[in-house]
Structure formats: structure tokens, C-alpha cells
Amino acid sequence: MNEKAREDIINAVGSVIESANRYPFLFVGSGLSKRYLGTPSWEPLLRELSEKTIGPQEYMRLSARARTAERRGETDSALPYLAQLMEDPINDCIVTDEAFSSFRAAHNSELLAGISPMRMFIADMLAAANIVNPTDRELRELVRAGKDRVSGVITTNYDRLCETIFPDFTPYVGQDGLIFRDPSYSREIYEIHGSVNDPDSLVITESDYREFDRKSKYLAAKMLTVFMEYPIIFLGYSISDQNVRKILGEVCQCVGPRRLDDLRGRIVFVQYGATEEGPISTYTESFDGHSLSMVSVTTDDFTPIFEAIGNSKKLYNTRFIREIRSDIYNLASHIDPSREIVLAGVDNALASLPDTKKAILGIGIVGEEFGMPITAQDLYEDVVLDNKHFQPRLIVDAYLEILLKQNSGGLPIYKYLSAYNGIIGERTQQAVDRQTCVDSFRNQSIRQTLSGQRNRFAGRLSVEGLIEAVGYEKAYKHMSILDDSEIDWQALRMYLTGLLDADAEKADAAKSILFDPEFRRMVRVYDLLRYRSIYLDK
């Protein structure tokens, strides 16, 4: 390949990726498996299968019958019909011929489960294939791009090529594997025609394709997200491939004529070969009456394609995108603080934002300043400043029981309980039963001196009065002598907020006053006076 052709390919593929501002999905066909694994395409696969089982003469007879049926319009495609004709005689051969005794012994449980022997035999044939030249530069460029520049893979292949090249991607096998799950559309492989890992999933016979076509609209609806949001690069297919044409036809129908233009310039179709007119052109094809334009790349060297992907600008870490999407999908129904990513305050934070403002999603590492598991200090600060936007269900379900066990003096609980609907834990219920008034937070030492202290500050038994009597910085140490009716929770909150703000100005470190037992006591008092009645009235 000359340098100009190489640069043209890199620029064309890179432009498609850049304009979409997304890493691409690769749509991988049998041509890539033939290229890297040396495995046969569909018809050679059926021929090789027959040579190992029913013999070449029987294959020729059945193949002629299938072609005749196609000419007469009795079937839409000869190859699926041929596979259908082959399955019963091959199954009989495998289960009766002595030559397959070792195969039967190795697959005894699958045979007893009713899985087709032919499908298991095909799976074994393809599973045995290994990368032909793992040090090939073209393949190395694809592996490099797949580490963090490929969003996902769609394939009609049965083999393990994609799982080998992209070992960190999660495979979804068959249509059902995608239709009945919530994909994250990041670092995933959609093996829509089945996989050698599940021989029963292989789409190979005419009846298989009929079932596949019956569900194709559901698959196309799932694929629509990929086609509308990501650049798509077809590799290892012919533009006349019936599988590709069916999928693109279904997608075009789902998109509709109004939004078909959104797909233009987003699809790259790579065809193997060489051309004197240059490797890049625009190809327009009609699918069920819908015209779809694609960028066509004709080349016998895929290296510049993979270089363009691998050298695309860094947008995001695809592993992180997969994790965060998975957690967001599960957030509404499941909370698990042991997961790698803990989401806190999504509902509350978004609800509190003005409609005209944008949200910022912050990421941190567990054990460092951000992203840490929620602590008692966090609860004390949040109750006063209302700045953490914690999800009440997260606090009550996942943290209160643990933190109450670790903090014998108690915790502020009513802020979160007042916005929670559900069954609370045993320790939380005990705290509710115990924390009923200000006296609940007094220890023996405070009660012993309570009468004398109240006499000392007679006439100043209020938040403002004690601040005036002993000074701003020390008043909280005496406020536990006040009774419920003597504390204005709004004045108390304003005072506690001022203490936290003043403490924050003294040092860049974590607010030290959050560890002061007397400060914590008054935060619990404020929490009780502000939120307990709301909780009880629910």
C-alpha cells in the first residue's frame, strides 16, 4: 500500500470517529476469522463438516437439492436450507458411527440434554482454531485499539476470535442474550448468531434463520442505539452478505426516512481488495426501499483502519463507562456498597438542580479524598450543611446499621428516616426508640450537674443566650443543658453552620470540629428537633 492510500484511509476513518465523538462499534464477519484464524466461511465450513461425517458425495447430492430449491423459490437461500438438509443425516452418523465414540463420550451430558450433535461438532471444529500469526502488525494494531478505543463488537461469527482479541469485553450470546438484558453498550461483544461456547445457540439452518427473523425487529430496536449513537465499522463482510442486508434493512425501517440522514457518514464498510481509483469512496445501497449512504474503504491491508481507531483522541475510559452505566441501570432497584463504584445522592442532587443548570458527575478512588465510603463525619456534616446530597435509601439500607454499631454515642438519623420508606434495621429502630427528646443525649455527668448549670445561666437558657453568656466558640459545649422547648432549631442550625465554616477556614484539613463529642451531641439534638416530627407524621 502506498503512503497516500494509507493516509486517505486513516483520515477517512478518523473523520468518521471524530464527527461522531464516540469510539466505534466493530461489526465483524467471517472474513476476519478467515484472515486471523484460518477458519472457513459458511459454505466451506459445511463442506468440511460433511467430509468428516456423511462424506463428499452426500454433500454434493444435498447441495444440488438446496440450489434447485432456491431456483424454484422454495427457499430464500440455499445455504441455510442445505444446513437444514444436512443436520439429520449428520446427527445419525455421529450417534451411530463407531468413529465418533470418543466424541460421544466427551459430550455425553450434552447429547442426553438433546443438543444437536452436528452443532456440537461444528463448535468443536471452530473452538480448536487459534490465531494464525499473533505477532502480525495488523492484528497488534487491532488489539491495541481494542484496549480503550473500541466501544463494542457485533458479530455473526460463531468462533472465539472476538473474545480472544478483546479479552476484557463481556460477551452476549444469541439474540436472547441481548434482547432480554440491559446492555451498557461499552466493552461488550454481541454474538448475535450464537457462539461455540453454547452450541445450541448457533443460527445455521433454515429454521434457525426463520426464528432469528421472527425476533429481528426486537434485535434491531436494541441495535438502534448503537447505530444512532456510534460509528459502525463493518469488517470481514461482503456488501452483498444477506445477514448484513437484513440487519441494515431492519435498522433503516426502525429509524424511518426522517432520521435516515443521521446514519449517513457514520457507517464505514471495509471491503477486502484493491482498486486503482483509490481506497475511499461513498457507497449508497437500498434496503427495503430506504437508501443508505456509507463510507466505503477498499483495501487488502487493514492496518491503517486500526491505526485510525487506536490513534483517535482520548474520549473516556471504556471500562469505566461500562461500570458506571451498569451501576446507574441498577441504582433504582439495588444498592450494594461493596461494588467497585458507589453512587450517592443522584436522585437528591438532580432534584435540587435548577432546570437550566447542568450536572457534574464526580469520580474518585475509594480510600482517597473522593469516592470514599460514607462515614459518621459525613453524616454529621450533611445534617448541618445539607451538602452531601446522600440518597436516604442508601444511608438507611446500607450504612446506618453498620455506623450505629461503630458509634456507641449515636448518630443523626432522622434527616434520612424522614425521607425514607421501608423497613428499618434493628439498631436503627433501637435508636429511634431511644432518641425521643434532648435528655436522650445527656450522659450521667451532664445530668449530675444539670441543676447547677441551669441556675448558673438562668435568664439565658436559649441558643442566643448561651452564645452571649460564654462566647461564640464555646457555647455549644453548654447547650446540652437546654430543654426541647428552649431550643430554636433554626437558630441552632445557623450556629452549627457558623462553627463548621469557621473551622474550615482555619485549616485545609478535614473539619476537626466534626470529631468533637459536644459538637456531635448538638448536631444530634438539631437532627431530632428538625426532622423527628416529620418522620413520625409520615
Side-chain angles (χ1 to χ4, degrees):
M1 177 182 294
N2 61 51
E3 188 60 26
K4 183 180 185 306
R6 177 179 173 277
E7 290 182 0
D8 286 347
I9 293 174
I10 290 176
N11 291 336
V13 176
S15 177
V16 169
I17 296 173
E18 184 176 356
S19 62
N21 200 32
R22 299 266 183 136
Y23 293 137
F25 260 76
L26 306 184
F27 213 124
V28 174
S30 60
L32 228 60
S33 294
K34 181 179 180 180
R35 192 175 183 84
Y36 300 136
L37 293 177
T39 53
S41 55
W42 196 3
E43 186 172 10
L45 174 66
L46 294 179
R47 186 182 302 114
E48 181 180 345
L49 172 65
S50 67
E51 289 174 354
K52 293 180 177 181
T53 55
I54 57 179
Q57 289 185 333
E58 181 66 4
Y59 173 80
M60 292 174 62
R61 186 183 72 82
L62 295 176
S63 180
R65 180 179 167 187
R67 289 195 299 271
T68 299
E70 184 179 36
R71 284 196 304 270
R72 292 175 175 174
E74 297 170 0
T75 181
D76 293 334
S77 179
L79 287 177
Y81 186 59
L82 173 58
Q84 185 91 30
L85 295 174
M86 290 172 60
E87 186 163 25
D88 283 345
I90 288 178
N91 286 347
D92 290 340
C93 177
I94 291 175
V95 298
T96 59
D97 196 316
E98 185 60 28
F100 296 97
S101 59
S102 59
F103 176 86
R104 291 194 295 269
H107 295 280
N108 183 61
S109 60
E110 294 98 320
L111 290 170
L112 292 175
I115 298 176
S116 165
M118 184 183 83
R119 295 165 193 270
M120 287 188 286
F121 199 85
I122 292 173
D124 282 4
M125 288 171 56
L126 296 178
N130 294 311
I131 299 291
V132 176
N133 186 6
T135 60
D136 180 72
R137 180 169 180 265
E138 181 180 291
L139 184 59
R140 284 191 285 111
E141 285 295 330
L142 177 56
V143 171
R144 181 177 75 90
K147 289 182 179 178
D148 58 3
R149 298 297 201 281
V150 172
S151 290
V153 178
I154 307 167
T155 182
T156 54
N157 296 347
Y158 313 133
D159 55 58
R160 293 174 178 152
L161 174 66
C162 294
E163 294 175 36
T164 302
I165 296 176
F166 309 102
D168 296 329
F169 285 30
T170 300
Y172 288 73
V173 177
Q175 282 182 302
D176 289 350
L178 182 59
I179 292 173
F180 297 109
R181 296 189 186 180
D182 287 321
S184 68
Y185 302 107
S186 181
R187 298 176 73 83
E188 295 172 336
I189 302 170
Y190 308 138
E191 298 172 308
I192 59 176
H193 278 186
S195 166
V196 296
N197 298 322
D198 180 9
D200 208 30
S201 69
L202 301 185
V203 177
I204 191 168
T205 66
E206 186 173 63
S207 59
D208 296 333
Y209 274 91
R210 285 175 180 168
E211 179 65 14
F212 185 89
D213 291 344
R214 188 180 68 82
K215 297 180 179 178
S216 61
K217 284 185 170 56
Y218 299 102
L219 177 67
K222 286 282 188 179
M223 290 292 95
L224 194 59
T225 298
V226 176
F227 278 83
M228 294 304 298
E229 296 187 10
Y230 298 85
I232 311 293
I233 301 177
F234 284 85
L235 297 160
Y237 287 103
S238 165
I239 195 64
S240 61
D241 187 289
Q242 290 302 311
N243 293 321
V244 171
R245 296 187 63 82
K246 283 184 179 180
I247 291 171
L248 288 177
E250 294 287 357
V251 169
C252 288
Q253 283 189 347
C254 287
V255 169
R258 292 183 180 180
R259 299 197 63 189
L260 201 58
D261 282 344
D262 294 341
L263 293 179
R264 303 182 195 279
R266 188 167 296 207
I267 298 176
V268 177
F269 205 101
V270 180
Q271 301 188 79
Y272 180 81
T275 174
E276 296 180 358
E277 300 177 356
I280 306 301
S281 63
T282 299
Y283 181 83
T284 301
E285 182 66 35
S286 177
F287 299 97
D288 295 332
H290 301 283
S291 293
L292 177 63
S293 296
M294 297 171 278
V295 176
S296 175
V297 178
T298 304
T299 178
D300 56 5
D301 182 3
F302 294 171
T303 304
I305 298 169
F306 303 148
E307 286 180 345
I309 299 171
N311 295 335
S312 56
K313 66 179 181 178
K314 184 76 171 181
L315 300 174
Y316 47 74
N317 181 293
T318 52
R319 186 193 73 83
F320 165 72
I321 291 298
R322 172 171 171 76
E323 291 289 343
I324 196 69
R325 278 180 169 172
S326 176
D327 277 74
I328 290 174
Y329 279 135
N330 293 327
L331 182 62
S333 60
H334 179 67
I335 288 177
D336 182 358
S338 67
R339 288 188 65 105
E340 291 184 17
I341 295 176
V342 176
L343 298 179
V346 174
D347 289 346
N348 288 355
L350 293 180
S352 65
L353 286 175
D355 292 339
T356 57
K357 300 296 181 181
K358 293 183 178 180
I360 296 176
L361 178 64
I363 308 301
I365 305 299
V366 173
E368 296 186 3
E369 182 179 1
F370 299 103
M372 295 174 62
I374 296 169
T375 64
Q377 292 84 260
D378 292 327
L379 299 189
Y380 280 102
E381 180 177 347
D382 182 53
V383 166
V384 176
L385 300 181
D386 199 24
N387 63 344
K388 300 293 187 181
H389 305 295
F390 292 141
Q391 192 180 44
R393 186 159 58 91
L394 175 70
I395 299 300
V396 179
D397 286 348
Y399 282 95
L400 277 190
E401 289 293 292
I402 297 172
L403 292 178
L404 283 169
K405 181 179 180 180
Q406 298 170 351
N407 294 266
S408 57
L411 290 171
I413 59 174
Y414 289 112
K415 179 181 190 295
Y416 308 107
L417 292 178
S418 65
Y420 173 80
N421 291 307
I423 300 174
I424 63 178
E426 182 179 354
R427 284 192 176 85
T428 305
Q429 184 60 58
Q430 291 173 354
V432 169
D433 295 339
R434 184 173 60 252
Q435 298 178 15
T436 59
C437 61
V438 173
D439 187 66
S440 306
F441 302 108
R442 293 170 181 158
N443 56 29
Q444 185 177 359
S445 175
I446 294 173
R447 291 191 179 99
Q448 288 177 343
T449 60
L450 182 61
S451 178
Q453 289 294 314
R454 287 182 63 82
N455 289 334
R456 175 188 173 189
F457 296 108
R460 295 183 176 180
L461 294 175
S462 66
V463 173
E464 297 86 349
L466 289 177
I467 293 173
E468 183 180 349
V470 299
Y472 194 90
E473 294 185 354
K474 297 181 180 180
Y476 71 92
K477 297 180 181 293
H478 301 272
M479 287 185 180
S480 57
I481 67 171
L482 300 175
D483 289 330
D484 299 52
S485 60
E486 296 167 337
I487 301 175
D488 179 344
W489 65 259
Q490 292 178 318
L492 179 57
R493 181 193 178 190
M494 186 179 299
Y495 173 58
L496 296 174
T497 300
L499 290 175
L500 277 174
D501 290 341
D503 187 58
E505 293 176 0
K506 295 177 183 177
D508 293 332
K511 302 177 180 66
S512 59
I513 199 170
L514 288 171
F515 297 86
D516 187 310
E518 294 304 321
F519 180 86
R520 288 189 169 197
R521 192 190 314 277
M522 294 315 300
V523 173
R524 296 198 297 275
V525 168
Y526 162 73
D527 175 68
L528 177 138
L529 297 176
R530 169 81 186 275
Y531 295 106
R532 187 171 189 269
S533 60
I534 300 175
Y535 168 66
L536 295 177
D537 290 339
K538 284 199 309 175

